[in-house]
Amino acid sequence: LLSSRAVEPQSEGQCAPVDSLWRRYSEFELLRNYLSVTYPHIVVPPLPEKRADFVWHKLSADNMDPDFVERRRIGLENFLLRVASHPVLCQDKIFYSFLTQEGGWKEMVNETGFQIKADSRLKALNATFRVKNPDKRFTELKHYSDELQSVISHLLRVRARVADRLYGVYKVHGNYGRVFSEWSAIEKEMGDGLQSAGHHMDVYAASIDDILEEEEHYADQLKEYLFYAEALRAVCRKHELMQYDLEMAAQDLTSKKQQCEELATGTVRTFSLKGMTSKLFGQETPEQREAKVKVLEEQIQEGEEQLKSKNLEGRDFVKSAWADIERFKEQKNHDLKEALISYAVMQISMCKKGIQVWTNAKECFSKM
């Protein structure tokens, strides 16, 4: 259920937007795909995972588990807040309709024709291997995003292993509780102290489920940047595609200029099937050559205009993309710093709780 409210009063005669409406996860995916295609220079915020990964094995990985569904709801809310706080994305009409329009939203998105603009995976792969002059900054950014994803993936795997061991340590304290309780039943003078110590151990053992569930929220903050790494690579791929299109346009223009020069001078610089055909079956008439030269000159003029346009488009893309990447880096540094500090504070709190349990047990033993 998506709830929203207007921050500014509605003008007279204007219908108030819907306060709440239902959205499926697939609709969030459609919105993000639309934003990624429409704003290729922007590091579009990622969606939370559809199914749980990097979880300690005692925690359910079922995507219908209530705790996981709640964390995913928080993640989807965070996605909307990220988009709403972005200086460009927040102004998008489709995003506004996603928040306010109950019916017909999917049709509105599809009418934008954004799917046609989406580049194929094959073309993107081709561009990656065939770009002759890649931008060093984007190449380094792609390597950085790969390394960031690798580091966070490893960190999440380590965290899951630590959480699993921690779960075991806490649950073993439940065995202490059971043994102390059983022991207290056969002791008269020591019974109360043993029973109290056992109670502290039981409470400590039972607290681990809530603690590790809370810890999953910190893991989700790291996972967001695990998925942000792919969003960074997407911007790099789009730049590669633009660079590839630019180089292909330049190559095509050079080829046409060479053809035009060969027709005008009557000399052939490079081997071609067309040149062999002319030698075998006779040269073209001056009128035919003149007509072809005229067509080529028109194509050359059109090609130069396209090349100029692509160069301008490329410069604008780099300028806009790099500004957004700098904004993203500042956001990332702040968020990850806060998440890691919060995680450390939680670990310290857990250790203090363990010390307090054994301090209480010591007092219980002292009173026996």
Side-chain angles (χ1 to χ4, degrees), residues 149-169:
Q149 189 173 45
S150 175
V151 167
I152 294 181
S153 295
H154 185 63
L155 182 61
L156 286 166
R157 282 193 291 270
V158 171
R159 187 209 67 87
R161 290 200 299 271
V162 169
D164 199 51
R165 290 177 185 177
L166 198 62
Y167 180 86
V169 169

Side-chain angles (χ1 to χ4, degrees), residues 357-368:
V357 164
W358 282 102
T359 302
N360 293 341
K362 180 184 175 183
E363 291 177 0
C364 293
F365 298 150
S366 299
K367 292 175 182 177
M368 289 191 303

Side-chain angles (χ1 to χ4, degrees), residues 100-302:
T100 58
Q101 187 169 320
E102 182 75 55
W105 178 80
K106 283 186 179 180
E107 290 75 14
M108 183 182 293
V109 180
N110 293 327
E111 284 173 5
T112 64
F114 81 95
Q115 295 97 334
I116 300 172
K117 299 177 188 175
D119 295 296
S120 69
R121 287 173 180 260
L122 184 61
K123 186 179 179 184
L125 186 66
N126 196 30
T128 301
F129 288 103
R130 295 187 62 183
V131 169
K132 295 177 182 177
N133 299 302
D135 189 309
K136 185 179 178 182
R137 291 176 301 173
F138 283 93
T139 302
E140 290 175 352
L141 181 66
K142 188 162 68 170
H143 290 324
Y144 167 77
S145 64
D146 290 340
E147 290 173 358
L148 178 66
Q149 189 173 45
S150 175
V151 167
I152 294 181
S153 295
H154 185 63
L155 182 61
L156 286 166
R157 282 193 291 270
V158 171
R159 187 209 67 87
R161 290 200 299 271
V162 169
D164 199 51
R165 290 177 185 177
L166 198 62
Y167 180 86
V169 169
Y170 268 69
K171 288 304 181 183
V172 163
H173 281 72
N175 293 338
Y176 276 123
R178 179 177 54 80
V179 171
F180 287 151
S181 295
E182 291 174 355
W183 191 7
S184 70
I186 63 172
E187 298 287 351
K188 291 183 178 179
E189 295 181 1
M190 298 171 59
D192 290 344
L194 290 169
Q195 184 70 37
S196 296
H199 173 71
H200 287 301
M201 296 297 170
D202 287 336
V203 171
Y204 185 63
S207 66
I208 188 61
D209 296 290
D210 291 337
I211 289 171
L212 289 183
E213 179 58 41
E214 179 187 348
E215 188 180 308
E216 285 298 316
H217 290 288
Y218 296 119
D220 289 339
Q221 290 177 294
L222 293 176
K223 287 177 185 177
E224 182 185 18
Y225 280 91
L226 180 72
F227 306 139
Y228 254 125
E230 174 56 32
L232 276 176
R233 282 198 296 274
V235 175
C236 295
R237 283 196 301 271
K238 288 161 189 170
H239 179 263
E240 283 177 343
L241 282 167
M242 293 189 73
Q243 183 66 22
Y244 177 70
D245 286 341
L246 177 66
E247 290 180 1
M248 289 300 99
Q251 184 177 318
D252 184 60
L253 181 61
T254 301
S255 175
K256 282 186 169 58
K257 284 181 177 179
Q258 184 176 321
Q259 289 177 43
C260 189
E261 184 182 347
E262 289 173 354
L263 282 169
T265 59
T267 58
V268 179
R269 293 183 180 180
T270 56
F271 172 80
S272 68
L273 182 61
K274 190 175 180 181
M276 287 298 296
T277 304
S278 297
K279 288 181 179 180
L280 291 171
F281 300 104
Q283 295 289 334
E284 296 171 322
T285 63
E287 290 78 11
Q288 288 175 321
R289 283 204 305 273
E290 187 178 340
K292 286 191 175 182
V293 166
K294 188 176 181 181
V295 170
L296 280 169
E297 285 175 345
E298 291 174 357
Q299 290 176 346
I300 288 168
Q301 185 178 353
E302 184 181 339

